[in-house]
């Protein structure tokens, strides 16, 4: 800004006159200033340079991300996890689960039914039907084969799980819910590569748990992850007539290890609870037995077992 000198030698500065604009003119000028040819405060050249910079920046960023992802995916296998057994978060102690479980959260693990009430019993039958849907599919052909202890499935085959072997716990018998002896189904959680260490004879712990169970283990040839159920407390044991197991009292060894082979179905054990006392909640615990299955009861840190209640109206 040029300074002018007056007669007395005093320099005075001439300030730019403030341009008065309406609000609309100020807004319009902020969007596009025709005097400087700026759009949103930048000239076309400035916007072009900015666009070019960020285009190159994001292209390089995307390329680095793609290289990192490709490197990560190269270390993964579609069929088996990278971290297995002791090195995995799942660990080496499979959980034991049961069905049916009510869809109502407030019912928890209680199985409450009236075998003379169609609505009541069909509720549980439908829940089991839903659980068994994968097992109801045709298991002929594909890579299925009938296995036994002398003929386990090879690496590309899986063993059939035949629902007809469940007898009194089959669909034709309404899984026992049309009687006073309902059935539940037990299944071990799948752990890739885990191989059970079997009890081929009863142990002192088994005999202390139940003489009947220990005798059953000694009488049954073959390698099984054994299953035992009983009333959780003495009062519960007094109010249940016993337990029947189908097809056997354990998970057969030829279903293990799990290696994510296509069409694999986890083995099941159906447990029939014989004549629990009506109008009384009976608490039941079922336990899996193998040398490398850790057992712990209780409600907070339960391992290797399940707990549920039966209430028969």
């Amino acid at each position: 800004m040029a300074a002018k000198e007056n007669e007395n030698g005093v320099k005075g500065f001439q300030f730019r006159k403030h341009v008065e604009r309406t609000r609309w003119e100020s807004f319009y000028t902020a969007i596009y200033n025709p005097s400087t040819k700026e759009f949103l405060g930048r000239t076309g050249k400035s916007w072009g340079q900015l666009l070019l910079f960020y285009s190159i920046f994001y292209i390089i960023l995307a390329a680095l991300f793609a290289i990192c992802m490709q490197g990560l995916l190269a270390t993964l296998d579609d069929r088996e996890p990278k971290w297995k057994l002791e090195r995995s978060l799942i660990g080496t102690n499979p959980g034991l689960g049961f069905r049916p479980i009510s869809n109502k959260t407030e019912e928890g693990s209680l199985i409450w039914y009236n075998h003379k009430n169609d609505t009541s019993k069909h509720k549980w039958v439908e829940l089991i039907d839903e659980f068994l849907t994968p097992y109801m599919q045709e298991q002929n052909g594909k890579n299925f084969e009938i296995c036994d202890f002398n003929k386990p499935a090879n690496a590309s085959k899986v063993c059939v799980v035949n629902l007809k072997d469940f007898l009194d716990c089959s669909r034709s018998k309404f899984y026992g819910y049309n009687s006073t002896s309902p059935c539940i189904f037990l299944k071990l959680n799948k752990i890739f590569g885990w191989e059970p260490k079997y009890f081929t004879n009863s142990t002192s712990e088994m005999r202390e748990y139940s003489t009947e169970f220990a005798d059953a283990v000694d009488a049954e040839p073959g390698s099984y992850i054994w299953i035992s159920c009983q009333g959780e407390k003495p009062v519960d044991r007094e109010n249940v007539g016993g337990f029947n197991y189908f097809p056997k009292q354990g998970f057969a060894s030829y279903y293990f290890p799990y290696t994510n082979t296509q069409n694999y179905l986890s083995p099941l054990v159906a447990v029939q609870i014989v004549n629990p006392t009506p109008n009384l909640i009976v608490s039941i615990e079922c336990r899996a037995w193998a040398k490398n299955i850790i057992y712990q009861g209780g409600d907070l840190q339960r391992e290797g077992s399940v707990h549920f209640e039966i209430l028969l109206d």
Side-chain angles (χ1 to χ4, degrees):
M1 184 178 297
K4 294 182 180 180
E5 190 174 323
N6 63 14
E7 297 174 349
N8 299 321
V10 178
K11 291 184 177 180
F13 291 88
Q14 188 176 11
F15 293 94
R16 181 177 295 176
K17 184 180 180 181
H18 177 68
V19 180
E20 295 290 340
R21 292 192 179 99
T22 63
R23 289 185 179 180
W24 166 249
E25 288 174 335
S26 298
F27 174 76
Y28 178 80
T29 304
I31 300 298
Y32 176 72
N33 191 332
S35 61
T36 58
K37 297 184 179 179
E38 292 179 347
F39 178 71
L40 295 177
R42 289 182 179 273
T43 63
K45 180 180 179 181
S46 177
W47 277 114
Q49 292 172 336
L50 188 67
L51 182 63
L52 178 63
F53 169 79
Y54 278 106
S55 296
I56 296 172
F57 173 76
Y58 283 114
I59 288 172
I60 294 173
L61 195 64
L64 289 174
F65 178 77
I67 292 169
C68 290
M69 286 300 297
Q70 192 63 31
L72 173 64
L73 294 174
T75 66
L76 302 179
D77 190 302
D78 290 337
R79 186 161 173 247
E80 67 177 81
K82 181 176 180 180
W83 308 111
K84 300 183 283 288
L85 301 175
E86 293 86 355
R87 301 179 68 190
S88 71
L89 291 175
I90 295 175
T92 58
N93 199 45
L96 185 66
F98 81 95
R99 291 293 187 276
I101 297 178
S102 175
N103 291 328
K104 296 180 179 179
T105 307
E106 62 270 18
E107 291 185 2
S109 56
L110 175 65
I111 299 174
W112 181 9
Y113 80 104
N114 183 338
H115 71 284
K116 296 180 180 180
N117 184 301
D118 287 343
T119 302
S120 175
K121 68 184 180 183
H122 281 303
K123 166 189 173 180
W124 300 102
V125 170
E126 289 170 4
L127 286 170
I128 296 176
D129 279 343
E130 183 180 353
F131 168 68
L132 293 178
T133 297
Y135 297 84
M136 294 177 180
Q137 307 303 316
E138 188 66 40
Q139 296 183 40
N140 293 326
K142 297 181 182 179
N143 61 332
F144 290 101
E145 65 180 12
I146 297 174
C147 303
D148 58 38
F149 294 108
N150 298 318
K151 185 188 175 185
N154 63 38
S156 61
K157 301 282 187 178
V158 295
C159 296
V160 168
V161 179
N162 192 345
L163 297 183
K164 294 179 182 179
D165 293 339
F166 293 126
L167 302 178
D168 289 346
C169 290
S170 64
R171 180 63 176 81
S172 61
K173 299 288 183 68
F174 294 92
Y175 309 117
Y177 287 87
N178 62 342
S179 70
T180 57
S181 298
C183 298
I184 59 104
F185 288 80
L186 299 177
K187 183 177 80 166
L188 277 178
N189 293 344
K190 292 180 286 189
I191 298 180
F192 188 96
W194 180 77
E195 296 192 48
K197 296 179 181 178
Y198 305 99
F199 290 112
T200 53
N201 298 103
S202 65
T203 65
S204 58
E205 184 184 4
M206 290 178 177
R207 199 155 290 281
E208 183 179 347
Y209 175 87
S210 167
T211 302
E212 183 181 356
F213 170 56
D215 291 342
V217 171
D218 289 333
E220 184 67 48
S223 298
Y224 293 90
I225 298 174
W226 299 103
I227 291 295
S228 65
C229 296
Q230 67 175 10
E232 194 163 34
K233 297 178 181 178
V235 66
D236 297 309
R237 292 167 204 157
E238 293 172 1
N239 286 285
V240 63
F243 301 89
N244 296 322
Y245 303 87
F246 305 99
K248 296 289 184 180
Q249 195 172 348
F251 303 108
S253 61
Y254 45 77
Y255 287 99
F256 302 94
Y258 166 69
T259 55
N260 199 24
T261 305
Q262 186 178 12
N263 298 318
Y264 175 86
L265 294 171
S266 296
L268 301 174
V269 172
V271 181
Q272 184 181 40
I273 300 97
V274 180
N275 297 324
T277 301
N279 303 314
L280 180 70
I281 294 178
V282 180
S283 296
I284 295 170
E285 180 188 68
C286 292
R287 175 180 173 182
W289 296 78
K291 294 177 183 178
N292 55 345
I293 292 181
I294 299 170
Y295 165 74
Q296 182 173 325
D299 296 329
L300 297 178
Q301 300 293 331
R302 181 175 293 277
E303 293 184 285
S305 62
V306 293
H307 162 95
F308 59 92
E309 305 89 24
I310 290 285
L311 176 56
L312 175 63
D313 280 346

